[in-house]
Amino acid sequence: MSKVLIKGNDATVLGALLAGCEAYFGYPITPASEIAHAAAKFFSLLGRTFIQAESEVGAINMVYGAASAGQRVMTASSGPGISLKQEGVSYCAGSELPCVIVDIVRGGPGLGNIGPEQGDYNQIVKGGGHGNYKVIVLSPNSSQEMCNLTMLAFELADKYRIPVYVLTDGVIGQMMEPVEIQTPVKDVPDKKWALKGTPETAPNLITSIYMDHEDLEQHILKLDRKYKEIEEKEVRYEEYKLEDAEIVLIGYAVISRILRTVVDEARKDGLKVGLLRPITLWPFPCVKIGELSEKVKSFLVVEMSTGQMVNDVKLSVNGKKPVHLYYRVGGMVPSTEEIIKKLDEIK
Amino acid sequence: MAQKLLVKKPESFWDIYERKPGEDKQSTHYCPGCGHGNVHKLIAEALDDFGVTEKAILINPVGCSVFAYYYFRCGNVQVAHGRAPAVGTALSRCNPDSLVICYQGDGDLAAIGTNELIHAANRGENMTIFFVNNAIYGMTGGQMAPTTLIGQKTMTTPYGRNSQNEGYPIKVCELLASLEAPVYLERVALTDAKHMAKARQAIRKAINNQINKKGFSLVELLSPCPTGWGVEPPDAHKWIEENMFPYFKLGVYRDVADQREPIVRAKRIMDPKEVIEKLSLDKIGLESGGITSVPIDKYANPSLKIAGFGGQGVLLLGEVLAKAAMIKGYEVSWLPSYGPEMRGGTANCSVIIQKEKIGSPMATNPKVLIAMNRPSLEKFQNDVLPGGIIIYNTSLIDIEPSRKDVEIVSIKATGIADELGNVRVANMVALGTYIGYTGLLGREEVLKALSDSISRKNLISLNEEAIIRGMECAGKRV
Ligand SMILES: Cc1ncc(C[n+]2csc(CCOP(=O)(O)OP(=O)(O)O)c2C)c(N)n1
Ligand code: SF4
Ligand SMILES: [Mg+2]
């Protein structure tokens, strides 16, 4: 088997190129800058578009433009830049423009620091921009998934005409792991609704404005039906030793990696612990967690935020079992020992 | 047909404005005397004459002209307030043969959208901007615009614009004329027939420049907003002449399209086979085989912390190690400390090597510490698991590790590197020491990993020598 040892950030660019992404627009920020570096190098090599935008606002609006042109397009940033992009993401959602946005989360609020964190969960999974909209959020936890889930992100974006986030933390972005190179996507869908400056596309209109109240209500309801379909079809998660688990650990991105080690360690001490890792943060695996809450004793959510995803877990558990939370923030990553100690407290 | 001639509606407009809500599908939504309708007409006529309607993509701004798409029979996209030049940038790059027109008001272009404007202009994007300067925010009910004149009363300058509070009106053409890239900048006015003729010419020129791929053109049109100014439509032209002409001087601020080469965009490589070839995807991978030999148990499945000062190459040491283990068939991960501490200070990385899928990539309590300088030894030695290994660089560390419950391996890494001719290969001496001592990996995969990791091929043999010396020394405990 042939593999390359690359950073998660580089793997996401590889995935984008393989998925037929034609344009990259971004503004540098640690810990996501390697994405811009790799994009500058490889998009240009393939004659595809790379622009270092004047700001994240500029970048996301370029994404809006390229998506309007019917091309696969991406941008990447970290917390402060994602905050700036939110206006544009709302417009993309409203105009039903497919695009891929990568967020390599760092410490916040404000300038925070460049350490790994997961404090962007709410601003991404819960919308962040104005209006009634949702975005698909995929959360890789390895370099291989940075590549594969980026490819999937493009596919889902086109399938549902929706912005898709690849959300992970600084650790996954900066870590190098072996990646098996996938085959490039052959058939990128042709988008009849796009603007290509051709006679066929001249009648097309891309917009998010519906002045008539009834029209806007209909538009929002249409989006909502699409979101329902996504909730039904696109939930993804990974289970680890859940069969006989009494305590379910839940975490995403680097935390899910640490929790895997915790499961193995805790089981050596006879604790029946398992792991549920949401791969899609929206749609969230509510149904699966709801089912688990019928048979397990309790849940422990571990985050690198003061408790954001835990609210989705609580909604899914719906009061049936205790949901505990352990977290570190500010760039601190919880150690397996800390989490095992917490497990001992709650078992 | 006869009727069409009567109203002289350009072909680039829809015959009936189906997109416009309400009963009246014939007239525009603009106020009587508004300049927007005139600008639309001039643009539509130019599109007709150049025969480029179907190539055109009109970017609808936020402002009174947000509904320009009611009228134009070309591709239309509605965008966020002020962002048209960014959206247009991408549309132009993605469709190099289309005609990208940004239509923007003064609030849209010269207030909220200045950043996007200036940078699109500065990149010399092949696009055309029609900038409708009516010195007011029309759509939102007559607030101050960046182009509102000194003394002009608006809803948000009820006592008149005061330079001490609001600064001076922005002169967009003059501002952009300080940039190198734009090929054409002109300010015209929608007043009497003479000025209208100039406006028509300017609009054509700006479109023609783009057809010829000459880059960025902007036409600023001083345009009436009788509603916003609180004047009767017939008096609006006089208002422009009296109030705007003295400050916003009409004229050409740049016209160099003739001197510029057409912009050429690269051809995209999308075919999977070509992509693989161009990126050498079939060549960059390393074969990762089944693990054939394993070290004794206590050295198996290590987690390592590798630390030193920036410039000692500890990250590369970790990378070569991880890559070699990958070639051997192990699961591996490599995680650097990243950020400001790398600049000048200490650097470290965690490397995990194991047969099973890797959980945590952090070596918080490593089995192995490779310390290249004293602060690294002091900082990390107490984290090492009992029974683990500390390898330390005695050339730079003048203390002994305090741990008694781990195996201590000393190596004069920097000294040996110096003997080899370059202190910078001390990292590879340490790497050789580690694999020689534990037998985790063989020489072959390490040297293969090395040559894959080092881009300057003339340095490979020196690094190889360093690794081999380290391996030899491992037994002798230098
Ligand atoms: C982000 C944002 N802020 C504010 C507005 C409200 N708004 C709509 S149009 C407009 C001003 C438009 O003025 P101008 O660009 O001069 O266009 P005009 O109507 O004068 O043609 C404003 C502030 C908005 N739609 N979006
Ligand atoms: S408010 Fe002014 S700019 Fe808007 S339509 Fe009326 S006259 Fe035209
Ligand atoms: Mg205005």
Side-chain angles (χ1 to χ4, degrees):
Chain A
M1 214 188 311
S2 176
K3 292 175 180 173
V4 287
L5 185 71
I6 53 175
K7 281 191 176 190
N9 281 344
D10 293 318
T12 196
V13 175
L14 177 64
L17 293 169
L18 296 174
C21 176
E22 295 194 50
Y24 180 98
F25 306 101
Y27 189 85
I29 184 167
T30 313
S33 290
E34 291 86 357
I35 301 180
H37 303 172
K41 192 166 167 191
F42 297 115
F43 275 69
S44 312
L45 254 183
L46 296 179
R48 304 185 190 181
T49 301
F50 171 89
I51 295 180
Q52 177 170 329
E54 57 275 14
S55 71
E56 289 85 352
V57 177
I60 191 69
N61 282 284
M62 292 175 193
V63 165
Y64 187 95
S68 300
Q71 300 192 352
R72 287 192 164 177
V73 54
M74 82 184 291
T75 183
S77 190
S78 187
I82 298 292
S83 300
L84 279 181
K85 287 184 199 293
Q86 293 289 18
E87 175 201 53
V89 178
S90 167
Y91 274 79
C92 287
S95 298
E96 296 189 85
L97 290 174
C99 57
V100 173
I101 306 153
V102 182
D103 182 6
I104 309 295
V105 185
R106 61 185 248 170
L111 208 46
N113 66 28
I114 59 174
E117 226 199 49
Q118 299 183 333
D120 284 3
Y121 184 94
N122 281 350
Q123 78 150 332
I124 286 175
V125 177
K126 302 300 171 190
H130 56 287
N132 287 290
Y133 75 90
K134 290 187 190 305
V135 290
I136 296 177
V137 186
L138 303 174
S139 184
N141 76 353
S142 65
S143 287
Q144 185 72 61
E145 281 196 353
M146 286 294 273
C147 175
N148 296 16
L149 290 184
T150 300
M151 294 180 77
L152 176 66
F154 282 101
E155 189 186 316
L156 294 176
D158 280 350
K159 183 168 172 195
Y160 296 103
R161 286 189 63 176
I162 191 173
V164 180
Y165 270 98
V166 175
L167 173 70
T168 193
D169 47 62
V171 174
I172 302 300
Q174 293 294 325
M175 178 173 61
M176 280 206 282
E177 284 185 317
V179 172
E180 258 180 72
I181 297 173
Q182 313 292 300
T183 34
V185 171
K186 243 203 240 105
D187 303 307
V188 174
D190 179 38
K191 295 158 191 167
K192 302 256 184 297
W193 48 263
L195 300 173
K196 301 177 187 175
T198 56
E200 304 76 52
T201 61
N204 290 346
L205 167 66
I206 288 168
T207 188
S208 63
I209 188 171
Y210 295 85
M211 282 305 276
D212 185 280
H213 299 194
E214 281 176 31
D215 289 351
L216 182 57
E217 185 179 49
Q218 286 311 313
H219 175 61
I220 294 170
L221 292 178
K222 179 186 149 208
L223 293 181
D224 211 49
R225 283 192 296 276
K226 176 164 88 176
Y227 300 150
K228 294 259 153 52
E229 186 188 342
I230 294 171
E231 280 174 338
E232 271 165 33
K233 292 186 183 161
E234 305 297 347
V235 175
R236 286 167 171 82
Y237 54 83
E238 183 190 346
E239 306 176 36
Y240 185 58
K241 301 194 177 165
L242 276 181
E243 304 75 35
D244 61 342
E246 290 174 352
I247 303 177
V248 178
L249 300 172
I250 303 183
Y252 67 99
V254 71
I255 293 293
S256 66
R257 300 283 296 260
I258 297 167
L259 293 180
R260 196 182 166 95
T261 306
V262 169
V263 168
D264 292 338
E265 295 294 318
R267 279 188 175 257
K268 284 183 198 156
D269 300 337
L271 269 185
K272 287 191 173 164
V273 189
L275 166 65
L276 181 84
R277 163 168 88 102
I279 295 173
T280 47
L281 297 177
W282 189 84
F284 196 71
C286 315
V287 176
K288 177 68 188 176
I289 293 173
E291 285 166 15
L292 285 170
S293 65
E294 302 287 347
K295 48 182 215 184
V296 304
K297 281 193 188 150
S298 65
F299 295 83
L300 172 60
V301 176
V302 183
E303 293 189 64
M304 295 194 308
S305 77
T306 49
Q308 299 191 8
M309 182 180 70
V310 68
N311 293 321
D312 281 330
V313 175
K314 282 183 181 165
L315 281 173
S316 313
V317 170
N318 202 10
K320 288 196 197 112
K321 294 288 158 58
V323 176
H324 305 277
L325 171 69
Y326 184 76
Y327 63 81
R328 295 295 300 268
V329 286
M332 300 302 294
V333 180
S335 67
T336 45
E337 290 72 23
E338 284 169 59
I339 299 167
I340 288 170
K341 210 169 127 222
K342 178 76 183 179
L343 268 178
D344 283 335
E345 279 168 37
I346 64 160
K347 72 179 177 201
Chain B
M1 191 66 194
Q3 209 188 355
K4 231 183 196 172
L5 281 178
L6 261 182
V7 295
K8 275 212 216 130
K9 203 187 246 183
E11 291 280 336
S12 292
F13 283 149
W14 295 105
D15 289 333
I16 299 167
Y17 304 140
E18 294 289 357
R19 283 177 176 152
K20 186 168 174 251
E23 294 303 306
D24 178 5
K25 309 275 187 200
Q26 293 287 342
S27 46
T28 70
H29 71 286
Y30 296 111
C31 308
C34 175
H36 280 302
N38 287 329
V39 184
H40 286 14
K41 188 153 171 281
L42 294 178
I43 295 172
E45 286 169 356
L47 295 179
D48 282 5
D49 292 352
F50 287 112
V52 289
T53 312
E54 289 176 328
K55 281 187 165 195
I57 300 173
L58 182 70
I59 304 186
N60 297 240
V62 176
C64 281
S65 50
V66 63
F67 302 119
Y69 62 84
Y70 288 170
Y71 315 115
F72 283 91
R73 195 202 285 274
C74 62
N76 277 280
V77 54
Q78 203 291 310
V79 306
H81 198 17
R83 316 300 178 213
V87 176
T89 292
L91 277 163
S92 163
R93 300 294 184 109
C94 292
N95 297 316
D97 294 326
S98 65
L99 186 84
V100 176
I101 297 175
C102 297
Y103 187 108
Q104 299 185 263
D106 40 50
D108 196 79
L109 176 139
I112 197 166
T114 33
N115 203 27
E116 287 75 20
L117 168 74
I118 288 177
H119 289 277
N122 194 48
R123 285 188 302 267
E125 298 296 342
N126 192 39
M127 61 161 73
T128 305
I129 297 187
F130 295 121
F131 165 39
V132 178
N133 177 357
N134 57 13
I136 196 111
Y137 283 15
M139 176 165 234
T140 37
Q143 299 85 0
M144 183 191 73
T147 48
T148 289
L149 296 155
I150 295 293
Q152 186 184 337
K153 286 184 180 164
T154 71
M155 294 304 282
T156 47
T157 52
Y159 310 108
R161 182 175 186 158
N162 172 353
S163 65
Q164 297 215 348
N165 200 51
E166 285 93 23
Y168 293 88
I170 290 184
K171 297 172 177 174
V172 168
C173 282
E174 289 87 331
L175 196 70
L176 293 182
S178 75
L179 304 176
E180 206 60 36
V183 294
Y184 177 52
L185 303 165
E186 179 165 1
R187 182 181 293 125
V188 295
L190 303 173
T191 52
D192 56 20
K194 193 184 91 199
H195 285 101
M196 286 298 276
K198 278 219 147 158
R200 161 174 316 196
Q201 257 178 16
I203 284 174
R204 275 157 205 262
K205 187 171 217 165
I207 288 176
N208 195 36
N209 285 342
Q210 191 184 157
I211 293 171
N212 294 328
K213 302 211 168 31
K214 292 300 180 88
F216 185 91
S217 299
L218 177 142
V219 178
E220 174 174 345
L221 304 113
L222 305 184
S223 172
C225 173
T227 310
W229 301 340
V231 305
E232 291 302 316
D235 300 332
H237 290 177
K238 211 171 109 212
W239 195 96
I240 293 180
E241 285 159 13
E242 284 177 0
N243 298 289
M244 297 183 89
F245 278 10
Y247 190 83
F248 294 114
K249 301 277 187 241
L250 302 186
V252 176
Y253 288 84
R254 175 74 56 81
D255 189 7
V256 296
D258 289 350
Q259 300 153 39
R260 297 277 172 90
E261 290 301 316
I263 293 171
V264 182
R265 300 276 179 229
K267 195 187 155 295
R268 299 206 159 158
I269 298 179
M270 301 305 293
D271 175 62
K273 256 172 87 185
E274 283 179 71
V275 169
I276 291 172
E277 215 180 278
K278 194 82 192 168
L279 299 179
S280 309
L281 293 181
D282 47 349
K283 299 200 185 84
I284 55 174
L286 293 165
E287 280 311 309
S288 159
I291 301 163
T292 45
S293 61
V294 291
I296 56 171
D297 268 3
K298 63 175 176 175
Y299 299 142
N301 301 325
S303 54
L304 299 98
K305 178 73 84 182
I306 303 164
F309 58 77
Q312 274 189 310
V314 296
L315 300 186
L316 181 66
L317 195 176
E319 182 180 341
V320 175
L321 175 63
K323 207 174 271 181
M326 176 183 89
I327 293 169
K328 180 107 181 175
Y330 285 104
E331 298 282 344
V332 301
S333 68
W334 171 99
L335 179 69
S337 60
Y338 61 90
E341 61 187 306
M342 283 166 64
R343 281 170 218 130
T346 61
N348 74 74
C349 62
S350 295
V351 173
I352 315 283
I353 298 172
Q354 61 186 47
K355 275 191 181 170
E356 310 299 325
K357 188 166 170 176
I358 294 170
S360 172
M362 335 264 304
T364 321
N365 292 107
K367 279 192 188 166
V368 181
L369 169 66
I370 300 179
M372 296 299 289
N373 67 349
R374 182 169 163 171
S376 300
L377 178 68
E378 289 172 332
K379 186 168 175 196
F380 294 115
Q381 66 168 334
N382 289 327
D383 298 338
V384 178
L385 288 173
I389 310 171
I390 294 178
I391 295 175
Y392 74 113
N393 178 12
T394 49
S395 310
L396 297 184
I397 303 175
D398 54 6
I399 54 165
E400 291 201 353
S402 57
R403 293 284 297 269
K404 300 291 172 244
D405 55 348
V406 300
E407 294 173 29
I408 307 285
V409 181
S410 61
I411 178 80
K412 261 196 272 176
T414 308
I416 293 170
D418 197 21
E419 283 168 30
L420 290 171
N422 190 340
V423 290
R424 300 194 65 169
V425 296
N427 57 348
M428 293 300 140
V429 176
L431 170 62
T433 306
Y434 169 64
I435 56 169
Y437 185 80
T438 58
L440 177 72
L441 300 166
R443 195 165 139 161
E444 189 192 335
E445 50 263 16
V446 178
L447 297 188
K448 201 191 269 180
L450 176 75
S451 73
D452 189 73
S453 302
I454 292 191
S455 45
R456 284 173 61 189
K457 296 297 167 201
N458 57 330
L459 292 178
I460 290 178
S461 65
L462 177 64
N463 280 275
E464 275 185 8
E465 250 182 279
I467 291 173
I468 292 163
R469 276 295 292 279
M471 290 176 81
E472 288 165 4
C473 292
K476 291 192 231 151
R477 303 272 196 100
V478 175

